[in-house]
Amino acid sequence: MDSATLTVADGLAVLTLNRPEAANALDLALKTALLDGLRAIAADDTVRAVLIRAEGRNFCVGQDLGEHAHALTRSPERAMDTVAEHYNPLISGIAALEVPVVAAVQGACVGAGLGLALAADVVVAAESASFATAFTAIGLASDSGLTRTLVDAIGAVRTRAFLLLGTKISAAQALDWGLIAQVAADDEAAASAEAVARRLAAGPTAAFAAVKSLVAASLPPLDEALERERAGAVPLAATADHTGAVEAFLAKRRPAFTGR
Ligand SMILES: CCCCCCCCCCCCC/C=C/C(=O)SCCNC(=O)CCNC(=O)[C@H](O)C(C)(C)COP(=O)(O)OP(=O)(O)OC[C@H]1O[C@@H](n2cnc3c(N)ncnc32)[C@H](O)[C@@H]1OP(=O)(O)O
């Protein structure tokens, strides 16, 4: 079964995370399939809008921690190569699309899954969806531009608390914070998101491209290398707090942080 699927029809590209049995946790196969799908979208000039959606109860629970634990045992430094190899290219690739991108979110939208959803221009969430950063709970900081995305959307005060406290917020809270654009009843959300995407696919594509360019130009440029340096993603991956928290999660017990 493909970890992600892509369909293109009537100007709408639908990129689907298809690993519902693992809550769409991002393993190498899913990250690679998402990147392949994004490259196909970017190369298809018939695409006038994109819908990113997910099969199953949960949109995406972030990096697959089972795979990550295995990578950590080999090399903590190399374990975070996935940020440069997958996360950054996917986020910057989505941001570089000139056509509008809609994300349909249900269930848990966590960690890199939150980054993926917020890379879209319009997020439509089911009312029972929840949003969390999760990074500090496993001894990491956010990366791949997500810190900047959060500060731009909800401000530095809320971003700091959202990241430090690892708060899980509801779709209604996310809407109230200005993190997402729409909330729909659980049984209507998927159709609502698709309707928004289809409306955009039938709209003034050149005007939409100009809007996206103007909004992007209104934000200070993001230096991903600087973010990784500041966030210390690679040194964080080598801390006992990080490796211990990942082991604790997989063993379904609470982590004990020592600050090292
Ligand atoms: C290509 C990506 C593009 C976007 C990139 C954007 C950039 C973002 C920044 C990048 C930063 C650097 C890289 C790091 C990325 C990360 O994502 S780090 C964070 C990783 N995720 C987590 O830590 C979340 C862990 N999971 C949870 O906190 C909870 O499971 C939940 C999501 C809040 C749901 O809780 P609940 O509803 O109680 O369900 P659970 O029982 O906890 O889980 C159900 C089953 O799913 C399994 N599972 C959940 N999350 C993961 C996971 N991340 N990896 C592997 N498996 C997971 C969980 O173990 C349960 O399994 P079973 O026991 O078998 O049912």
Side-chain angles (χ1 to χ4, degrees):
M1 177 173 67
D2 293 337
S3 296
T5 61
L6 173 64
T7 60
V8 179
D10 304 323
L12 178 62
V14 180
L15 184 60
T16 300
L17 286 77
N18 189 32
R19 198 178 175 227
E21 73 286 357
N24 294 305
L26 294 158
D27 65 353
L28 181 60
L30 178 49
K31 289 182 281 190
T32 303
L34 286 171
L35 278 169
D36 291 346
L38 178 65
R39 290 187 186 109
I41 290 168
D44 184 341
D45 59 9
T46 68
V47 173
R48 297 174 59 192
V50 179
L51 173 63
I52 298 174
R53 58 178 295 279
E55 293 294 345
R57 281 191 319 112
N58 296 296
F59 176 74
C60 176
V61 293
Q63 173 62 45
D64 183 307
L65 293 180
E67 179 182 80
H68 186 58
H70 185 63
L72 282 171
T73 55
R74 290 202 307 274
S75 158
E77 287 68 25
R78 286 207 48 77
M80 292 307 281
D81 286 354
T82 185
V83 177
E85 291 172 13
H86 306 105
Y87 292 122
N88 287 347
L90 197 72
I91 288 304
S92 52
I94 293 170
L97 290 175
E98 293 187 346
V99 298
V101 181
V102 178
V105 173
Q106 75 275 6
C109 180
V110 174
L114 176 65
L116 181 56
L118 298 184
D121 301 300
V122 177
V123 177
V124 179
E127 62 189 357
S128 63
S130 62
F131 300 83
T133 56
F135 301 112
T136 55
I138 59 167
L140 287 181
S142 58
D143 201 309
S144 303
L146 185 58
T147 319
R148 152 61 74 46
T149 302
L150 289 171
V151 170
D152 291 339
I154 63 177
V157 172
R158 278 183 172 150
T159 295
R160 201 177 290 119
F162 197 29
L163 286 166
L164 291 176
L165 302 177
T167 324
K168 180 164 83 172
I169 63 172
S170 66
Q173 181 76 74
L175 182 70
D176 180 58
W177 279 9
L179 199 57
I180 63 176
Q182 289 184 17
V183 176
D186 284 358
D187 60 355
E188 298 170 358
S192 296
E194 184 172 339
V196 169
R198 291 198 178 282
R199 182 180 132 204
L200 290 167
T205 310
F208 291 154
V211 164
K212 289 190 62 166
S213 171
L214 286 167
V215 172
S218 73
L219 299 171
L222 172 74
D223 177 343
E224 282 168 357
L226 179 63
E227 187 183 52
R228 277 179 59 69
E229 176 201 317
R230 292 265 178 82
V234 175
L236 289 179
T239 63
D241 277 348
H242 176 55
T243 52
V246 172
E247 287 164 9
F249 176 81
L250 296 173
K252 298 195 184 299
R253 55 179 165 76
R254 293 178 66 79
F257 293 112
T258 62
R260 290 192 305 276

